[in-house]
Amino acid sequence: MKTPPAPARELPCDAALGKRVLVAGCGYLGRVVARELHMLGWDVTGITRSLPSAQALQEEPFRVLACDIGDRAALAALGSFDAVIACASSGWGDVESYRKVYLEGTQNLLEVLHPEHFIFTGSTSVYAQTDGTVVTEESPAQPARETGQMLRAAEEVTLAAGGTVARLAGIYGPGRWALLSNFLDGNAVLEGDGSRWINQIHRADAASALVFLLSIPPGIYNVSDGTPATQREIYTAFSEHYQRPLPPTGPLNTTRKRGYTHKQVSHAKLRALGWSPMYPSFREALR
Ligand SMILES: NC(=O)c1ccc[n+]([C@@H]2O[C@H](COP(=O)([O-])OP(=O)(O)OC[C@H]3O[C@@H](n4cnc5c(N)ncnc54)[C@H](OP(=O)(O)O)[C@@H]3O)[C@@H](O)[C@H]2O)c1
């Protein structure tokens, strides 16, 4: 998938010069967040859990170290930070790895580093709605699965400390777009009548939103492109774009790790404060 050059964007953090920020979890998303912050003048440190991952980022223009957010002494040795963005992921681990990375990791970052700004990168999967309704930050967020409950617990710890919770929709972008890979590999299934709503956010927009969040009041913010699309709409667009048939139909997949949901995520709160996505829907990225 080709990514068009990013249009010039206003810099939201003109007070950033020389301020120290830790991007805790410099993976698919964190790496791009760290790059943006570096370009805005922040003094950026990125961490990964493993040494090979940190070594793979040595060409980046910011400092990258291997440091486990589960290790309080190692975190303390990093020094102090004005801002911390928790962007580590458990991968698709079990509930214990969710506890370690999201809940205990968040507690450690807050209690050891006491940053002025803290952002927890969470997920819209905490909205367990299955009725296709629009969900805002005011909607109930009561995940049925323990993994989702762990994310909610990390959110509560964040909010209690005066931090910000970013609830991200499914991230896609260069080199990672599960829906498209499944479609191209022939593994996609059109579930039921294909009317399930899917909420996405391009990685570039997820990164710009996290940076933007550093400049607005703390709270909960949904981060999505604001254009939910049904599974059928998405596969139809892929099918037309690649001149391939629609995937076969099959039953609803209710065994997803973070639970089966069917809802339309609103990003109106963030948008009203001045953020907007470069990719208002997956269609712009596909083109
Ligand atoms: N991907 C999505 O669709 C999606 C959707 C909603 C929300 N999110 C959230 O967005 C955030 C970033 O996701 P991502 O897709 O960018 O993740 P990712 O590509 O898997 O990267 C995760 C990063 O976190 C690091 N990490 C993991 N455990 C750590 C630990 N204990 N200490 C320090 N670093 C650790 C990893 O280091 P190693 O490489 O060394 O393991 C890696 O650098 C996560 O909070 C995720 O839940 C993602």
Side-chain angles (χ1 to χ4, degrees):
M1 179 185 136
K2 285 183 187 157
T3 304
R9 209 190 275 130
E10 285 203 18
L11 307 184
C13 303
D14 39 358
L17 274 186
K19 285 201 169 180
R20 296 196 74 211
V21 60
L22 176 70
V23 179
C26 235
Y28 186 70
L29 174 59
R31 174 183 196 162
V32 177
V33 174
R35 276 185 199 156
E36 282 219 15
L37 290 167
H38 170 79
M39 285 193 310
L40 290 169
W42 287 82
D43 176 354
V44 180
T45 299
I47 57 172
T48 64
R49 174 173 37 199
S50 66
L51 190 57
S53 291
Q55 283 169 337
L57 298 176
Q58 289 314 305
E59 300 294 308
E60 294 290 348
F62 48 86
R63 188 161 65 123
V64 186
L65 306 165
C67 173
D68 193 325
I69 56 174
D71 182 341
R72 284 178 166 240
L75 282 180
L78 293 175
S80 63
F81 295 92
D82 300 286
V84 172
I85 301 184
C87 220
S89 163
S90 64
W92 291 99
D94 60 9
V95 68
E96 271 320 301
S97 49
Y98 267 64
R99 180 191 307 283
K100 283 203 166 64
V101 171
Y102 296 115
L103 179 54
E104 294 173 7
T106 297
Q107 286 166 331
N108 291 341
L109 289 166
L110 282 165
E111 290 169 15
V112 174
L113 299 173
H114 303 289
E116 191 185 335
H117 301 281
F118 182 83
I119 297 176
F120 171 69
T121 309
S123 167
T124 54
S125 64
V126 296
Y127 299 115
Q129 284 78 343
T130 58
D131 56 1
T133 49
V134 174
V135 293
T136 71
E137 292 80 352
E138 305 298 319
S139 303
Q142 294 157 342
R145 304 246 162 145
E146 275 185 284
T147 47
Q149 289 160 10
M150 223 37 93
L151 292 176
R152 281 289 296 124
E155 289 188 357
E156 289 305 328
V157 168
T158 299
L159 295 171
T164 287
V165 170
R167 291 180 176 158
L168 269 62
I171 303 169
Y172 71 96
R176 194 198 281 187
W177 193 353
L179 280 169
L180 181 57
S181 313
N182 285 338
F183 174 82
L184 294 176
D185 294 347
N187 296 324
V189 174
L190 200 51
E191 297 169 42
D193 62 1
S195 63
R196 186 170 90 83
W197 289 111
I198 294 183
N199 299 279
Q200 302 185 84
I201 178 83
H202 192 284
R203 176 176 65 172
D205 291 323
S208 78
L210 291 179
V211 171
F212 182 74
L213 287 173
L214 287 171
S215 64
I216 60 175
I220 300 177
Y221 296 93
N222 292 339
V223 179
S224 74
D225 64 16
T227 314
T230 65
Q231 203 184 42
R232 179 174 288 280
E233 283 171 346
I234 294 173
Y235 285 141
T236 300
F238 289 172
S239 169
E240 286 168 0
H241 187 84
Y242 290 98
Q243 297 289 297
R244 293 195 189 186
L246 270 177
T249 53
L252 289 183
N253 178 1
T254 54
T255 61
R256 285 187 170 76
K257 185 86 189 167
R258 291 181 175 179
Y260 169 80
T261 66
H262 173 47
K263 76 248 173 172
Q264 302 176 67
V265 175
S266 163
H267 71 193
K269 181 179 176 185
L270 193 54
R271 196 159 186 137
L273 289 168
W275 172 84
S276 60
M278 263 190 322
Y279 298 92
S281 84
F282 77 97
R283 293 175 193 279
E284 286 73 29
L286 194 60
R287 277 197 284 273

